[in-house]
C-alpha cells in the first residue's frame, strides 16, 4: 500500500513526479462525497486537506496521513504525538497518550497507533471475560423453565402435552456491545499495514467466535447504553464506534472502499482548551460553559431574534453571568507581533460579545507556536473599556495558566 504524509493546509502535488498520481487523485476525488464536508480543496494539479487531521484510506491502495500544521519543523513522530495528546486531553480517545513514550523513535503510522490502543484496551477488558447479558428466550422444552407461554402452548402444543412452550431469561454473549466490538475488529483487520498487528487482530477475533456483527443500518451501541456492570467498557465502545463510523462504500465509485478517521482541528482545539481550562475555572469559582450562553445580537421589526451568538467558551460567575468570554482559533499568527496579526473579523466578533453580554474581559486563544508564547493584552475602546487577552495555549499535558484570571478581580468585574 502506498502511504502519503500530508500537513493540514499543505498542498499535495498531483502528477507522475508528484505526491499523488492522476489515478490516485481521481480515487480521492471520487471519495470526497463521503468525507467531511469542506475537507478537501483542489487546485491546478494539486489538492490539500483543510482543517482536518487523521487518516484517509482508499481500499488497500492508498493511505494518506494528515498531521497538524502548528509546528511544521517538527518530525512526523512529534506531530503525531501532538495530535495524540490533544485527542487524549479532549476526551476523543481517552488514554491514547499513554502510548506516546515509544512514538518519538518509532515508525508507527497514525492509524496503527489508534489500532494498537484499541487492541490494548480491549485485551485488558477481555482478561475479565466477555460481557454477558440476559436475553429473553422462547423455546419448547420437555420440562418447565422460566414460565409457560400459554398462548404459544395452545397454538403449538395443543396435542403435545409433553412439550411445554417456555419463556425464560438466559445469560448470553451474543449481545449488541460484543457485536460492535467484533465488527470493529473485522474493520481494522483490513486497515492495518502491520503483519504483526493483523495477526494480533485475528487472534482477538477468535475470542468472538459465535458472536454476530453489526450490519449496515443497525444501531451502533453507545457508551450510554452500558449498564453499571458494563461501564468498564466505555472507552473501548467509543473507539469501536469511531472505527466503524469511518468506513464507507461510495456508490458513485462502484465497489471502492473508503475509510476515514478525520478530526476537525477547529473543534478539537476548542474541546482541548475547554478540558484544560475547566479545573482552572473551578479553582477560581467559575463554571465553564461551552457553546454558550446563546443570545441574539439583534431583533427585526417583528421582534424575531437575528444573528445568533454562541461563544466557544464562557466562564460563568456566581450570578450566572458571563464574567469572561473566550474564543478559540486554530490558526498560525505572525509570531513576531501577535497583536498586530489579529484578524479584524476576530476583533469585531469579540467586541460584539463584550457589548451584548456586558462582559469586561474577553480572550482569544491560539495554539502555542514558534515565537508566540505566553499572553498579550490590549484595551478595546468600546462603550466601556474591555480587556482583550491573547493567549498561546501549550499543546501538551502542561498545566494551563492564565495570569489574567484572578478570582477577586474577575468576580467583581462579572458583577
Amino acid at each position: 500500500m502506498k502511504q502519503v504524509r500530508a500537513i493540514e493546509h499543505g498542498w499535495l502535488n498531483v502528477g507522475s513526479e508528484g505526491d499523488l498520481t492522476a489515478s490516485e487523485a481521481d480515487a480521492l476525488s471520487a471519495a470526497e462525497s463521503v468525507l467531511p464536508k469542506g475537507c478537501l480543496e483542489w487546485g491546478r494539479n494539486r489538492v490539500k486537506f483543510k482543517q482536518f487531521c487523521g487518516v484517509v484510506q482508499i481500499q488497500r491502495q492508498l493511505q494518506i496521513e494528515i498531521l497538524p500544521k502548528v509546528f511544521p519543523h517538527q518530525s512526523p513522530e512529534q506531530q503525531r504525538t501532538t495530535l495524540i495528546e490533544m485527542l487524549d486531553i479532549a476526551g476523543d480517545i481517552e488514554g491514547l497518550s499513554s502510548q506516546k513514550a515509544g512514538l518519538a523513535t518509532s515508525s508507527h503510522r497514525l492509524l496503527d497507533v489508534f489500532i494498537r490502543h484499541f487492541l490494548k484496551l480491549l485485551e485488558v477488558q477481555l482478561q475479565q471475560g466477555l460481557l454477558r447479558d440476559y436475553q429473553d428466550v422462547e423455546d419448547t422444552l420437555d420440562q418447565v423453565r422460566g414460565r409457560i407461554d400459554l398462548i404459544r402452548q395452545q397454538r403449538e402444543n395443543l396435542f403435545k402435552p409433553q412439550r411445554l412452550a417456555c419463556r425464560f431469561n438466559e445469560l448470553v454473549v451474543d449481545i449488541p456491545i460484543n457485536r460492535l466490538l467484533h465488527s470493529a475488529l473485522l474493520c481494522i483487520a483490513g486497515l492495518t499495514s502491520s503483519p504483526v498487528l493483523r495477526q494480533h487482530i485475528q487472534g482477538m477475533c477468535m475470542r468472538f467466535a459465535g458472536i454476530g456483527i453489526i450490519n449496515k443500518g443497525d444501531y451502533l451501541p453507545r457508551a450510554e447504553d452500558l449498564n453499571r456492570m458494563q461501564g468498564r467498557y466505555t472507552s473501548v465502545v467509543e473507539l469501536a464506534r469511531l472505527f466503524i463510523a469511518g468506513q464507507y462504500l461510495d456508490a458513485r465509485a462502484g465497489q471502492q472502499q473508503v475509510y476515514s478517521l478525520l478530526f476537525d482541528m477547529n473543534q478539537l482545539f476548542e474541546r482541548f482548551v475547554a478540558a484544560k481550562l475547566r479545573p482552572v475555572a473551578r479553582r477560581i469559582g467559575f463554571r465553564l460553559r461551552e457553546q454558550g450562553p446563546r443570545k441574539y445580537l439583534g431583533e427585526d421589526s417583528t421582534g424575531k431574534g437575528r444573528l445568533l451568538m454562541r461563544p466557544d467558551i464562557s466562564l460563568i460567575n456566581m450570578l450566572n453571568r458571563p464574567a469572561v468570554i473566550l474564543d478559540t482559533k486554530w490558526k498560525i499568527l505572525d509570531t513576531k507581533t501577535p497583536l498586530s496579526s489579529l484578524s479584524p473579523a476576530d476583533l469585531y466578533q469579540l467586541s460584539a460579545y463584550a457589548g451584548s453580554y456586558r462582559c469586561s474581559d474577553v480572550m482569544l486563544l491560539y495554539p502555542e507556536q514558534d515565537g508566540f508564547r505566553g499572553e498579550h493584552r490590549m484595551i478595546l475602546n468600546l462603550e466601556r473599556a474591555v480587556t482583550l487577552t491573547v493567549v498561546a495555549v501549550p499543546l501538551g499535558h502542561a498545566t494551563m495558566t492564565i495570569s489574567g484570571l484572578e478570582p477577586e478581580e474577575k468576580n467583581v468585574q462579572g458583577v
Side-chain angles (χ1 to χ4, degrees):
M1 179 192 303
K2 180 178 178 179
Q3 296 179 328
V4 176
R5 185 181 301 118
I7 301 295
E8 58 168 327
H9 293 287
W11 291 103
L12 293 173
N13 295 318
V14 178
S16 57
E17 301 297 327
D19 303 289
L20 302 175
T21 65
S23 61
E24 290 168 345
D26 290 341
L28 181 61
S29 177
E32 188 171 4
S33 62
V34 295
L35 298 179
K37 186 176 181 180
C39 174
L40 296 176
E41 180 178 331
W42 295 87
R44 181 176 176 83
N45 295 326
R46 60 181 186 170
V47 61
K48 69 178 177 181
F49 289 83
K50 297 172 77 173
Q51 77 277 15
F52 289 86
C53 288
V55 180
V56 172
Q57 183 166 312
I58 301 174
Q59 291 185 336
R60 294 193 179 183
Q61 301 174 359
L62 174 66
Q63 183 185 101
I64 304 175
E65 181 182 73
I66 307 99
L67 300 176
K69 67 183 178 184
V70 178
F71 297 106
H73 65 275
Q74 285 185 335
S75 68
E77 289 75 21
Q78 292 172 321
Q79 291 169 331
R80 291 189 195 108
T81 300
T82 296
L83 179 59
I84 285 169
E85 289 184 337
M86 291 182 68
L87 290 169
D88 184 13
I89 294 172
D92 289 37
I93 305 181
E94 294 183 7
L96 182 59
S97 63
S98 63
Q99 296 192 37
K100 74 176 183 178
L103 291 180
T105 57
S106 75
S107 58
H108 295 152
R109 306 290 292 183
L110 191 58
L111 185 55
D112 284 348
V113 172
F114 294 149
I115 292 174
R116 286 177 184 275
H117 182 60
F118 174 70
L119 295 176
K120 179 180 177 181
L121 293 179
L122 184 56
E123 183 69 40
V124 169
Q125 299 307 326
L126 290 181
Q127 289 174 0
Q128 304 180 48
L130 282 168
L131 284 179
R132 299 172 183 267
D133 204 355
Y134 285 98
Q135 182 175 340
D136 289 335
V137 177
E138 295 180 353
D139 201 358
T140 300
L141 308 172
D142 55 5
Q143 59 182 356
V144 176
R145 182 177 179 184
R147 64 183 186 275
I148 297 177
D149 188 332
L150 295 178
I151 296 177
R152 285 182 52 237
Q153 179 69 21
Q154 292 181 356
R155 184 177 67 242
E156 300 174 8
N157 302 321
L158 183 60
F159 301 106
K160 301 176 184 178
Q162 74 279 11
R163 303 293 289 168
L164 301 172
C166 300
R167 183 190 296 269
F168 54 92
N169 288 334
E170 186 174 26
L171 197 60
V172 298
V173 295
D174 191 10
I175 59 177
I177 295 297
N178 286 338
R179 290 195 289 270
L180 174 76
L181 299 176
H182 191 192
S183 301
L185 285 171
L186 295 176
C187 172
I188 62 178
L191 296 174
T192 180
S193 57
S194 167
V196 175
L197 271 183
R198 195 174 299 115
Q199 185 177 2
H200 189 185
I201 295 168
Q202 291 171 353
M204 298 279 279
C205 284
M206 293 177 63
R207 305 179 69 169
F208 287 81
I211 296 175
I213 60 174
I214 299 289
N215 296 311
K216 185 176 181 179
D218 289 351
Y219 172 73
L220 292 181
R222 308 182 65 91
E224 292 81 358
D225 300 325
L226 298 172
N227 59 37
R228 183 174 58 86
M229 301 297 293
Q230 300 169 339
R232 59 191 174 91
Y233 269 79
T234 297
S235 297
V236 187
V237 167
E238 288 304 314
L239 190 49
R241 283 175 50 86
L242 200 61
F243 281 126
I244 294 175
Q247 186 167 313
Y248 304 98
L249 187 65
D250 187 2
R252 296 187 314 163
Q255 295 300 309
Q256 183 170 340
Q257 192 74 35
V258 179
Y259 184 84
S260 71
L261 192 60
L262 294 173
F263 303 93
D264 186 320
M265 295 305 295
N266 294 332
Q267 298 175 9
L268 176 58
F269 182 58
E270 180 182 326
R271 295 193 299 272
F272 170 82
V273 170
K276 295 196 71 171
L277 192 59
R278 187 169 280 108
V280 178
R282 189 183 303 114
R283 187 169 61 249
I284 60 179
F286 289 148
R287 175 171 55 87
L288 187 144
R289 179 172 177 180
E290 299 179 59
Q291 294 293 304
R294 302 185 180 189
K295 185 177 182 180
Y296 287 101
L297 183 61
E299 300 177 350
D300 60 19
S301 57
T302 65
K304 183 178 180 180
R306 297 293 181 181
L307 192 55
L308 180 64
M309 295 183 295
R310 187 173 54 189
D312 290 344
I313 300 173
S314 297
L315 302 185
I316 310 298
N317 62 16
M318 297 180 64
L319 299 179
N320 204 32
R321 297 176 183 171
V324 186
I325 291 179
L326 306 95
D327 201 49
T328 60
K329 302 294 182 184
W330 181 253
K331 296 179 180 179
I332 295 180
L333 292 175
D334 180 355
T335 55
K336 295 181 180 179
T337 52
L339 291 180
S340 62
S341 303
L342 299 180
S343 163
D346 293 342
L347 293 177
Y348 295 150
Q349 182 182 17
L350 268 296
S351 298
Y353 285 159
S356 296
Y357 290 95
R358 298 187 61 79
C359 181
S360 299
D361 287 272
V362 293
M363 295 186 178
L364 278 171
L365 297 100
Y366 294 85
E368 189 176 75
Q369 47 204 264
D370 290 337
F372 176 35
R373 290 175 172 79
E375 306 171 18
H376 299 264
R377 288 184 176 80
M378 63 181 291
I379 301 298
L380 301 179
N381 296 316
L382 305 177
E383 183 177 346
R384 58 175 180 170
V386 173
T387 301
L388 167 66
T389 306
V390 183
V391 182
V393 180
L395 297 181
H397 285 276
T399 303
M400 180 175 176
T401 58
I402 300 178
S403 61
L405 292 179
E406 298 294 338
E408 297 81 10
E409 176 187 353
K410 298 304 176 188
N411 274 299
V412 171
Q413 291 180 349
V415 176

